[in-house]
Amino acid sequence: MRSRNILGALLMAAGFMVGCGGAEPLEETQAELDTREDALPFCGNQSYWIDYYSDATLTKVVGYMSCSCYETAWIGGRRTAFAVTEFSNTCG
């Protein structure tokens, strides 16, 4: 019974991919990201530093975001889901 549920889910997922034309080639997606320019976030009344790590072990820093009161954020490297906020303050 369980194998039927798994097979059914796989067939449904395959149907969605075929119906939507499949996945986009990686080259096109990367090319779009290479030329994309997003606006940097405005810090408002916040001051903080966030380090972004490559994985859940938090051993290799791959990026950061720094905000100072009422300025535009500084971002370096890349942002990931593995983030640690080093400090955070509300500006007066």
Side-chain angles (χ1 to χ4, degrees):
M1 184 66 156
R2 183 178 197 130
S3 63
R4 262 197 251 168
N5 289 342
I6 293 172
L7 181 60
L10 289 173
L11 288 173
M12 186 172 14
F16 285 135
M17 289 182 71
V18 170
C20 297
E24 292 183 20
L26 181 59
E27 297 82 32
E28 289 178 15
T29 304
Q30 186 61 48
E32 291 172 7
L33 291 174
D34 288 344
T35 58
R36 187 170 117 182
E37 292 185 23
D38 292 336
L40 292 172
F42 179 69
C43 300
N45 70 339
Q46 299 295 312
S47 181
Y48 55 85
W49 183 281
I50 301 172
D51 284 324
Y52 295 96
Y53 293 86
S54 60
D55 57 35
T57 62
L58 305 178
T59 55
K60 182 179 177 186
V61 176
V62 294
Y64 70 90
M65 182 176 356
S66 172
C67 250
S68 293
C69 302
Y70 305 104
E71 293 184 11
T72 302
W74 290 82
I75 299 174
R78 64 185 175 99
R79 291 189 279 180
T80 67
F82 309 104
V84 174
T85 301
E86 297 298 327
F87 72 86
S88 178
N89 295 316
T90 301
C91 307

